[in-house]
Amino acid sequence: MTQSPDWVRLQKALSVEAEYGFTDLVGKQYRFSEFLCLSFGQTPTVITALERRRWQEMASQFARYPQLTLLERQHLVAEASQFIQQIEQGSAGAQGRRGAGEKMYNQQSKTQVKQPPTTPIVKTNSEANSGYSSNLSLDQPLANVAEIGVRKGGYLTKLNLYTVRDLLFYYPRDHIDYARQVNISELEAGETVTLVGKIKSCNCFTTQKNNKLTILELVITDQSGRIKLSRFFAGNRYSNRGWQEALKRRYESGSIVAASGLVKKNKYGLTLDNPEIEVLAHPEDTIDSLNIGRVVPVYPLTEGVPADMVRQAVTAVLPAAAQLKDPLPSVIRNQYGLVGLKDAIANIHFPSDSAAKEAARRRLVFDEFFYLQLGFLQRRQALRQVQNSAILLPAGKLIEEFEQILPFKLTNAQQRVINDILNDLQKPTPMNRLVQGDVGSGKTVVAVIAILAAVQSGYQGALMAPTEVLAEQHYRKLVSWFNLLHLPVELLTGSTKTAKRRQIHAQLETGELSLLVGTHALIQDPVNFHKLGLVVIDEQHRFGVHQRARLLSKGEQPHVLTMTATPIPRTLALTLHGDLDVSQIDELPPGRQAIYTTALTGKERNNAYDLIRREIAEGRQVYVVLPLIEESEKLDLRSAVDEHQHLSESIFPEFQVGLLHGRMSSAEKDEVINAFRDNKTQIIVSTTVIEVGVDVPNATVMMIENAERFGLSQLHQLRGRVGRGSHRSYCLLMSSSTTPDARQRLNVLEQSQDGFFIAEMDMRLRGPGEVLGTRQSGLADFALASLVEDQEVLQIARDAAEKIILRDGNLEKLPLLQAELDYRYQKLMGGAILT
């Protein structure tokens, strides 16, 4: 490895290959790809460490040459020729060779021009030099960065990386610490370490049993012992004779190497698991590798994009971080102890130590939260500047009459939330308030008072629910109240008959109809309100952004009240509803009893059946909920259809057992629910369609099959279907799972009735995207931030954003911050924020 390659022969081989159409020509001794692989196996002694890595990489690339496409071969040949020129020009005594090299390269460049217009034209050396890191711009395409090039740039587009800025902000998902250097005798399984030693022997071979598996075996020694290391290469291209010989020459006996990896124990003793290895000039030589002897970044990857390629590309563009302007005012950085943006970017990729990595991560997590909160608060401020919403009367005859007909007294929490709402409604600024309340806390009564405030002020109201079952439940309850108040209310769903639908449309347009309850049918074009003043949206996270927008467009800046029976942890509420005013009904009505909750195994099923028989004998009713409609071939789960047959024929033949699931028509659902409500059916077997909307105070048992398959918040919602009357109620969580995680989750339900605590635990155990029962919930797509681990950073980010908006709401004095907000907020939320 001490002699330099024959530059002229290399350039001539490249030129001839280009002239003959990149066909991997066969020479007297070798194919073109084998010759290049062998040639690049001879590392020149007069090149820099960075050039040495790139030179060695060329050997691997030419080993794969037969498998490359025509375009990839063209790029590789051009890149190799250009690289050789650069080395020649930087080497002493290269003047005599340069003329021949340039002539060869120019011939090859001309050949490239003859290719179809879609093939990129190879740049001259002077053009390429203008793209080196020292002259990088943040918006420069990665393909124009000399150390990356068109071919690697093409691979990086698979990760949606197109510019230098994209790559700088492509954060690692983890880091591996190889910074600790040890002797061979000090190795302990489970540690990540680096060792330096001398190669005792090297062997590289394709296995006889599998011709697609090639193994490199090295025996390394130091003053304390010896170790055998193996690297595995899967694929036909690695069985190439030239590639294997080049690899063996790189790791010649007597060479000094550094190796990093995870220490594992196998039948031969301790080893490093598929280690990273670099050849050193001497034992005290500096380790130049991106993967060895340091904290190594681990990036999110996709098929066909190797980790080393991303690390090398990041290293190439990292100097451009110096051009970054920090939009965050220094007063904010100092107040919250945040490092500068340039340092954060540098240390999130290649940190000097763990402290630098943590400081970098904290700053970048802050940024993700901060710009989201800043966008929320700016939108809320803009909304508050609107002064053309309906002014609704906070007091009046209708509200007084409604409070008189209620058979119960409002709780303090309900009264507090009602006051918040009525204060909002008497302002010309449109209300945008979220009411959170646990199951059974009385959110509907609060919404009715808001609707009555609109009606008594001469406006109409609309209430939209996500399912027909829930819409019908709201309608049934509202009709009973509105009839006593002599107010009209109608229900509009997909099942509404055409004649009735036309009647509703007509009454809406004349203003005759005060309140319309419905599903997404409310947002259809024929629905036109005469004077819409208030929109109530129940379980709003179940609606899409555009659905909510279309409903709001039915009026001119209507007030908006959203409700959810899914308690949301504060951190989740900030990131999902950061532009809303939030009220919580954190008190249950008097008389509501705690629901006895227990997790049972299959062996205890008969105990559950005995409890059900006792409750039905007392005149009570039972829910049995399952996750599936029909039996799944892949999952061993009890299905609703099969369980209904099993219970009605084998277990409870003396009782009436109903079946309810989402595939039934609205008429069929109504029939089943009405039969259960009238106690004609004692047991109802259902999927989670029962989760919201079915209110039967006589039901006292909720039995949930395969409970481990549900989220905690969903289980809590299901549990809330019982305990609505004066009798003691039970929730039986049936689970055959013995995993610690499943047991831990079900224990939370056994120990707590607090929906907000349960939601917090659900978020910690399963992640925020699952708490809402849907991944399409409008959550921001964070690259680094975790709503579970970074709650403290989220809070200070919210505080900082509030201070900024308070001082300069339009960010007129902070143009850099506004520009970054425009870019970040749209990218983070996909331009889809609308509450």
Side-chain angles (χ1 to χ4, degrees), residues 515-548:
L515 173 63
L516 181 61
V517 180
T519 57
H520 60 277
L522 295 187
I523 65 177
Q524 303 305 318
D525 290 334
V527 178
N528 294 311
F529 288 82
H530 174 67
K531 203 175 182 182
L532 181 61
L534 174 69
V535 172
V536 180
I537 303 176
D538 196 14
E539 298 294 339
Q540 76 142 1
H541 60 270
R542 293 172 180 245
F543 290 102
V545 169
H546 300 296
Q547 289 176 317
R548 299 198 298 267

mmCIF file of all heavy atoms in Angstrom, residues 515-548:
data_model
loop_
_atom_site.group_PDB
_atom_site.id
_atom_site.type_symbol
_atom_site.label_atom_id
_atom_site.label_comp_id
_atom_site.label_asym_id
_atom_site.label_seq_id
_atom_site.Cartn_x
_atom_site.Cartn_y
_atom_site.Cartn_z
ATOM 1 N N LEU A 515 -81.879 24.699 15.996
ATOM 2 C CA LEU A 515 -80.709 23.861 16.229
ATOM 3 C C LEU A 515 -80.739 22.643 15.317
ATOM 4 O O LEU A 515 -81.763 21.969 15.202
ATOM 5 C CB LEU A 515 -80.675 23.387 17.698
ATOM 6 C CG LEU A 515 -79.599 22.362 18.065
ATOM 7 C CD1 LEU A 515 -78.202 22.935 17.867
ATOM 8 C CD2 LEU A 515 -79.775 21.880 19.504
ATOM 9 N N LEU A 516 -79.598 22.367 14.688
ATOM 10 C CA LEU A 516 -79.460 21.177 13.851
ATOM 11 C C LEU A 516 -78.354 20.305 14.427
ATOM 12 O O LEU A 516 -77.224 20.757 14.628
ATOM 13 C CB LEU A 516 -79.134 21.560 12.416
ATOM 14 C CG LEU A 516 -78.979 20.385 11.431
ATOM 15 C CD1 LEU A 516 -80.279 19.589 11.336
ATOM 16 C CD2 LEU A 516 -78.565 20.879 10.051
ATOM 17 N N VAL A 517 -78.696 19.056 14.700
ATOM 18 C CA VAL A 517 -77.732 18.072 15.204
ATOM 19 C C VAL A 517 -77.439 17.100 14.068
ATOM 20 O O VAL A 517 -78.351 16.729 13.314
ATOM 21 C CB VAL A 517 -78.309 17.307 16.415
ATOM 22 C CG1 VAL A 517 -77.303 16.283 16.935
ATOM 23 C CG2 VAL A 517 -78.709 18.274 17.509
ATOM 24 N N GLY A 518 -76.191 16.686 13.938
ATOM 25 C CA GLY A 518 -75.914 15.733 12.866
ATOM 26 C C GLY A 518 -74.481 15.268 12.824
ATOM 27 O O GLY A 518 -73.660 15.603 13.679
ATOM 28 N N THR A 519 -74.201 14.478 11.802
ATOM 29 C CA THR A 519 -72.848 13.984 11.543
ATOM 30 C C THR A 519 -72.225 14.881 10.477
ATOM 31 O O THR A 519 -72.600 16.038 10.321
ATOM 32 C CB THR A 519 -72.911 12.533 11.049
ATOM 33 O OG1 THR A 519 -73.751 12.488 9.880
ATOM 34 C CG2 THR A 519 -73.486 11.619 12.113
ATOM 35 N N HIS A 520 -71.279 14.327 9.707
ATOM 36 C CA HIS A 520 -70.650 15.096 8.637
ATOM 37 C C HIS A 520 -71.655 15.521 7.575
ATOM 38 O O HIS A 520 -71.336 16.320 6.699
ATOM 39 C CB HIS A 520 -69.526 14.284 7.996
ATOM 40 C CG HIS A 520 -69.994 12.993 7.406
ATOM 41 N ND1 HIS A 520 -70.162 11.859 8.163
ATOM 42 C CD2 HIS A 520 -70.368 12.659 6.152
ATOM 43 C CE1 HIS A 520 -70.611 10.877 7.404
ATOM 44 N NE2 HIS A 520 -70.740 11.337 6.162
ATOM 45 N N ALA A 521 -72.888 14.996 7.648
ATOM 46 C CA ALA A 521 -73.926 15.437 6.713
ATOM 47 C C ALA A 521 -74.187 16.939 6.850
ATOM 48 O O ALA A 521 -74.664 17.584 5.913
ATOM 49 C CB ALA A 521 -75.223 14.661 6.967
ATOM 50 N N LEU A 522 -73.843 17.516 8.005
ATOM 51 C CA LEU A 522 -74.040 18.959 8.216
ATOM 52 C C LEU A 522 -73.203 19.814 7.267
ATOM 53 O O LEU A 522 -73.543 20.966 7.006
ATOM 54 C CB LEU A 522 -73.676 19.347 9.658
ATOM 55 C CG LEU A 522 -74.516 18.776 10.801
ATOM 56 C CD1 LEU A 522 -74.109 19.422 12.106
ATOM 57 C CD2 LEU A 522 -75.993 18.982 10.552
ATOM 58 N N ILE A 523 -72.104 19.271 6.794
ATOM 59 C CA ILE A 523 -71.199 20.100 5.990
ATOM 60 C C ILE A 523 -71.466 19.973 4.492
ATOM 61 O O ILE A 523 -70.745 20.568 3.686
ATOM 62 C CB ILE A 523 -69.713 19.742 6.282
ATOM 63 C CG1 ILE A 523 -69.402 18.301 5.834
ATOM 64 C CG2 ILE A 523 -69.403 19.926 7.750
ATOM 65 C CD1 ILE A 523 -67.957 17.905 6.025
ATOM 66 N N GLN A 524 -72.470 19.201 4.112
ATOM 67 C CA GLN A 524 -72.786 19.085 2.689
ATOM 68 C C GLN A 524 -73.297 20.427 2.158
ATOM 69 O O GLN A 524 -73.924 21.198 2.872
ATOM 70 C CB GLN A 524 -73.834 17.994 2.460
ATOM 71 C CG GLN A 524 -73.422 16.630 2.993
ATOM 72 C CD GLN A 524 -72.081 16.160 2.428
ATOM 73 O OE1 GLN A 524 -71.817 16.314 1.244
ATOM 74 N NE2 GLN A 524 -71.239 15.605 3.283
ATOM 75 N N ASP A 525 -73.052 20.666 0.888
ATOM 76 C CA ASP A 525 -73.350 21.972 0.275
ATOM 77 C C ASP A 525 -74.802 22.435 0.426
ATOM 78 O O ASP A 525 -75.046 23.614 0.657
ATOM 79 C CB ASP A 525 -72.957 21.950 -1.208
ATOM 80 C CG ASP A 525 -71.453 21.906 -1.379
ATOM 81 O OD1 ASP A 525 -70.755 22.376 -0.460
ATOM 82 O OD2 ASP A 525 -70.975 21.411 -2.404
ATOM 83 N N PRO A 526 -75.832 21.561 0.287
ATOM 84 C CA PRO A 526 -77.211 22.067 0.379
ATOM 85 C C PRO A 526 -77.572 22.634 1.751
ATOM 86 O O PRO A 526 -78.611 23.262 1.907
ATOM 87 C CB PRO A 526 -78.065 20.837 0.059
ATOM 88 C CG PRO A 526 -77.143 19.893 -0.641
ATOM 89 C CD PRO A 526 -75.809 20.141 -0.050
ATOM 90 N N VAL A 527 -76.756 22.372 2.773
ATOM 91 C CA VAL A 527 -77.071 22.845 4.122
ATOM 92 C C VAL A 527 -76.668 24.311 4.241
ATOM 93 O O VAL A 527 -75.486 24.639 4.272
ATOM 94 C CB VAL A 527 -76.346 21.995 5.188
ATOM 95 C CG1 VAL A 527 -76.636 22.536 6.584
ATOM 96 C CG2 VAL A 527 -76.764 20.538 5.083
ATOM 97 N N ASN A 528 -77.652 25.196 4.302
ATOM 98 C CA ASN A 528 -77.396 26.641 4.412
ATOM 99 C C ASN A 528 -78.168 27.209 5.599
ATOM 100 O O ASN A 528 -79.388 27.134 5.650
ATOM 101 C CB ASN A 528 -77.826 27.365 3.133
ATOM 102 C CG ASN A 528 -76.990 26.962 1.932
ATOM 103 O OD1 ASN A 528 -75.772 26.958 1.998
ATOM 104 N ND2 ASN A 528 -77.656 26.580 0.853
ATOM 105 N N PHE A 529 -77.434 27.760 6.551
ATOM 106 C CA PHE A 529 -78.059 28.359 7.727
ATOM 107 C C PHE A 529 -78.491 29.793 7.420
ATOM 108 O O PHE A 529 -77.835 30.496 6.646
ATOM 109 C CB PHE A 529 -77.078 28.374 8.898
ATOM 110 C CG PHE A 529 -76.806 27.013 9.492
ATOM 111 C CD1 PHE A 529 -75.886 26.148 8.905
ATOM 112 C CD2 PHE A 529 -77.483 26.590 10.623
ATOM 113 C CE1 PHE A 529 -75.628 24.906 9.448
ATOM 114 C CE2 PHE A 529 -77.235 25.333 11.170
ATOM 115 C CZ PHE A 529 -76.312 24.498 10.587
ATOM 116 N N HIS A 530 -79.570 30.202 8.071
ATOM 117 C CA HIS A 530 -80.024 31.591 7.944
ATOM 118 C C HIS A 530 -79.101 32.521 8.725
ATOM 119 O O HIS A 530 -78.669 33.569 8.229
ATOM 120 C CB HIS A 530 -81.458 31.722 8.460
ATOM 121 C CG HIS A 530 -81.952 33.135 8.511
ATOM 122 N ND1 HIS A 530 -82.163 33.894 7.368
ATOM 123 C CD2 HIS A 530 -82.268 33.935 9.568
ATOM 124 C CE1 HIS A 530 -82.587 35.103 7.719
ATOM 125 N NE2 HIS A 530 -82.663 35.149 9.052
ATOM 126 N N LYS A 531 -78.748 32.123 9.934
ATOM 127 C CA LYS A 531 -77.943 32.992 10.793
ATOM 128 C C LYS A 531 -77.241 32.113 11.835
ATOM 129 O O LYS A 531 -77.685 32.004 12.973
ATOM 130 C CB LYS A 531 -78.854 34.030 11.472
ATOM 131 C CG LYS A 531 -78.155 35.295 11.941
ATOM 132 C CD LYS A 531 -79.201 36.278 12.470
ATOM 133 C CE LYS A 531 -78.527 37.588 12.895
ATOM 134 N NZ LYS A 531 -79.529 38.531 13.467
ATOM 135 N N LEU A 532 -76.143 31.493 11.417
ATOM 136 C CA LEU A 532 -75.425 30.573 12.300
ATOM 137 C C LEU A 532 -74.546 31.369 13.267
ATOM 138 O O LEU A 532 -73.667 32.120 12.844
ATOM 139 C CB LEU A 532 -74.567 29.610 11.473
ATOM 140 C CG LEU A 532 -73.762 28.564 12.258
ATOM 141 C CD1 LEU A 532 -74.692 27.653 13.049
ATOM 142 C CD2 LEU A 532 -72.879 27.746 11.316
ATOM 143 N N GLY A 533 -74.786 31.172 14.557
ATOM 144 C CA GLY A 533 -74.024 31.923 15.552
ATOM 145 C C GLY A 533 -73.072 31.075 16.372
ATOM 146 O O GLY A 533 -72.073 31.575 16.888
ATOM 147 N N LEU A 534 -73.363 29.759 16.507
ATOM 148 C CA LEU A 534 -72.537 28.903 17.358
ATOM 149 C C LEU A 534 -72.422 27.517 16.742
ATOM 150 O O LEU A 534 -73.412 26.928 16.311
ATOM 151 C CB LEU A 534 -73.160 28.775 18.759
ATOM 152 C CG LEU A 534 -72.477 27.781 19.710
ATOM 153 C CD1 LEU A 534 -71.100 28.289 20.115
ATOM 154 C CD2 LEU A 534 -73.330 27.534 20.954
ATOM 155 N N VAL A 535 -71.193 27.007 16.722
ATOM 156 C CA VAL A 535 -70.930 25.641 16.263
ATOM 157 C C VAL A 535 -70.359 24.859 17.442
ATOM 158 O O VAL A 535 -69.387 25.282 18.064
ATOM 159 C CB VAL A 535 -69.925 25.630 15.094
ATOM 160 C CG1 VAL A 535 -69.505 24.201 14.767
ATOM 161 C CG2 VAL A 535 -70.518 26.297 13.871
ATOM 162 N N VAL A 536 -70.987 23.725 17.750
ATOM 163 C CA VAL A 536 -70.478 22.815 18.783
ATOM 164 C C VAL A 536 -69.989 21.556 18.086
ATOM 165 O O VAL A 536 -70.737 20.935 17.317
ATOM 166 C CB VAL A 536 -71.571 22.459 19.807
ATOM 167 C CG1 VAL A 536 -71.009 21.500 20.864
ATOM 168 C CG2 VAL A 536 -72.126 23.713 20.476
ATOM 169 N N ILE A 537 -68.735 21.195 18.321
ATOM 170 C CA ILE A 537 -68.152 20.008 17.692
ATOM 171 C C ILE A 537 -67.770 19.034 18.799
ATOM 172 O O ILE A 537 -66.965 19.364 19.675
ATOM 173 C CB ILE A 537 -66.911 20.361 16.843
ATOM 174 C CG1 ILE A 537 -67.262 21.401 15.783
ATOM 175 C CG2 ILE A 537 -66.337 19.107 16.193
ATOM 176 C CD1 ILE A 537 -66.076 21.866 14.961
ATOM 177 N N ASP A 538 -68.358 17.846 18.767
ATOM 178 C CA ASP A 538 -68.073 16.839 19.785
ATOM 179 C C ASP A 538 -66.998 15.885 19.273
ATOM 180 O O ASP A 538 -67.032 15.464 18.112
ATOM 181 C CB ASP A 538 -69.345 16.059 20.126
ATOM 182 C CG ASP A 538 -69.208 15.291 21.436
ATOM 183 O OD1 ASP A 538 -68.254 15.580 22.193
ATOM 184 O OD2 ASP A 538 -70.040 14.421 21.702
ATOM 185 N N GLU A 539 -66.041 15.546 20.151
ATOM 186 C CA GLU A 539 -64.928 14.662 19.776
ATOM 187 C C GLU A 539 -64.295 15.153 18.478
ATOM 188 O O GLU A 539 -64.163 14.410 17.507
ATOM 189 C CB GLU A 539 -65.424 13.212 19.633
ATOM 190 C CG GLU A 539 -65.993 12.627 20.907
ATOM 191 C CD GLU A 539 -64.964 12.459 22.017
ATOM 192 O OE1 GLU A 539 -63.756 12.422 21.715
ATOM 193 O OE2 GLU A 539 -65.357 12.386 23.187
ATOM 194 N N GLN A 540 -63.841 16.407 18.500
ATOM 195 C CA GLN A 540 -63.416 17.047 17.252
ATOM 196 C C GLN A 540 -62.199 16.386 16.620
ATOM 197 O O GLN A 540 -62.006 16.471 15.415
ATOM 198 C CB GLN A 540 -63.118 18.527 17.498
ATOM 199 C CG GLN A 540 -61.796 18.800 18.194
ATOM 200 C CD GLN A 540 -61.133 20.047 17.643
ATOM 201 O OE1 GLN A 540 -61.672 20.699 16.775
ATOM 202 N NE2 GLN A 540 -59.971 20.353 18.150
ATOM 203 N N HIS A 541 -61.360 15.702 17.399
ATOM 204 C CA HIS A 541 -60.171 15.088 16.806
ATOM 205 C C HIS A 541 -60.523 13.949 15.860
ATOM 206 O O HIS A 541 -59.688 13.480 15.108
ATOM 207 C CB HIS A 541 -59.235 14.575 17.904
ATOM 208 C CG HIS A 541 -59.835 13.544 18.798
ATOM 209 N ND1 HIS A 541 -60.507 13.867 19.961
ATOM 210 C CD2 HIS A 541 -59.904 12.194 18.704
ATOM 211 C CE1 HIS A 541 -60.936 12.762 20.537
ATOM 212 N NE2 HIS A 541 -60.580 11.729 19.798
ATOM 213 N N ARG A 542 -61.794 13.508 15.892
ATOM 214 C CA ARG A 542 -62.210 12.439 14.962
ATOM 215 C C ARG A 542 -62.588 12.997 13.593
ATOM 216 O O ARG A 542 -62.846 12.238 12.668
ATOM 217 C CB ARG A 542 -63.399 11.666 15.551
ATOM 218 C CG ARG A 542 -63.035 10.881 16.801
ATOM 219 C CD ARG A 542 -64.276 10.305 17.448
ATOM 220 N NE ARG A 542 -63.917 9.545 18.637
ATOM 221 C CZ ARG A 542 -64.089 8.237 18.760
ATOM 222 N NH1 ARG A 542 -64.615 7.536 17.779
ATOM 223 N NH2 ARG A 542 -63.757 7.605 19.864
ATOM 224 N N PHE A 543 -62.682 14.318 13.480
ATOM 225 C CA PHE A 543 -63.012 14.930 12.193
ATOM 226 C C PHE A 543 -61.738 15.380 11.494
ATOM 227 O O PHE A 543 -60.765 15.776 12.131
ATOM 228 C CB PHE A 543 -63.925 16.151 12.383
ATOM 229 C CG PHE A 543 -65.316 15.805 12.832
ATOM 230 C CD1 PHE A 543 -65.696 15.950 14.150
ATOM 231 C CD2 PHE A 543 -66.246 15.315 11.931
ATOM 232 C CE1 PHE A 543 -66.972 15.623 14.569
ATOM 233 C CE2 PHE A 543 -67.524 14.976 12.330
ATOM 234 C CZ PHE A 543 -67.884 15.135 13.660
ATOM 235 N N GLY A 544 -61.759 15.356 10.175
ATOM 236 C CA GLY A 544 -60.643 15.881 9.418
ATOM 237 C C GLY A 544 -60.648 17.398 9.418
ATOM 238 O O GLY A 544 -61.657 18.048 9.705
ATOM 239 N N VAL A 545 -59.501 17.963 9.086
ATOM 240 C CA VAL A 545 -59.340 19.419 9.040
ATOM 241 C C VAL A 545 -60.349 20.060 8.099
ATOM 242 O O VAL A 545 -61.012 21.039 8.430
ATOM 243 C CB VAL A 545 -57.899 19.755 8.594
ATOM 244 C CG1 VAL A 545 -57.766 21.227 8.271
ATOM 245 C CG2 VAL A 545 -56.926 19.379 9.693
ATOM 246 N N HIS A 546 -60.491 19.487 6.911
ATOM 247 C CA HIS A 546 -61.364 20.103 5.907
ATOM 248 C C HIS A 546 -62.834 19.985 6.298
ATOM 249 O O HIS A 546 -63.643 20.854 5.983
ATOM 250 C CB HIS A 546 -61.111 19.465 4.544
ATOM 251 C CG HIS A 546 -59.703 19.634 4.071
ATOM 252 N ND1 HIS A 546 -59.159 20.874 3.799
ATOM 253 C CD2 HIS A 546 -58.705 18.733 3.856
ATOM 254 C CE1 HIS A 546 -57.898 20.719 3.423
ATOM 255 N NE2 HIS A 546 -57.600 19.429 3.450
ATOM 256 N N GLN A 547 -63.182 18.906 7.015
ATOM 257 C CA GLN A 547 -64.565 18.762 7.477
ATOM 258 C C GLN A 547 -64.914 19.880 8.459
ATOM 259 O O GLN A 547 -65.977 20.495 8.377
ATOM 260 C CB GLN A 547 -64.757 17.392 8.134
ATOM 261 C CG GLN A 547 -64.740 16.233 7.146
ATOM 262 C CD GLN A 547 -64.833 14.898 7.853
ATOM 263 O OE1 GLN A 547 -64.186 14.676 8.876
ATOM 264 N NE2 GLN A 547 -65.629 13.999 7.315
ATOM 265 N N ARG A 548 -64.008 20.146 9.393
ATOM 266 C CA ARG A 548 -64.278 21.208 10.363
ATOM 267 C C ARG A 548 -64.343 22.562 9.663
ATOM 268 O O ARG A 548 -65.171 23.409 9.991
ATOM 269 C CB ARG A 548 -63.187 21.208 11.445
ATOM 270 C CG ARG A 548 -63.109 19.909 12.221
ATOM 271 C CD ARG A 548 -62.367 20.060 13.532
ATOM 272 N NE ARG A 548 -60.988 20.453 13.400
ATOM 273 C CZ ARG A 548 -59.971 19.606 13.339
ATOM 274 N NH1 ARG A 548 -60.191 18.318 13.380
ATOM 275 N NH2 ARG A 548 -58.735 20.043 13.237
#
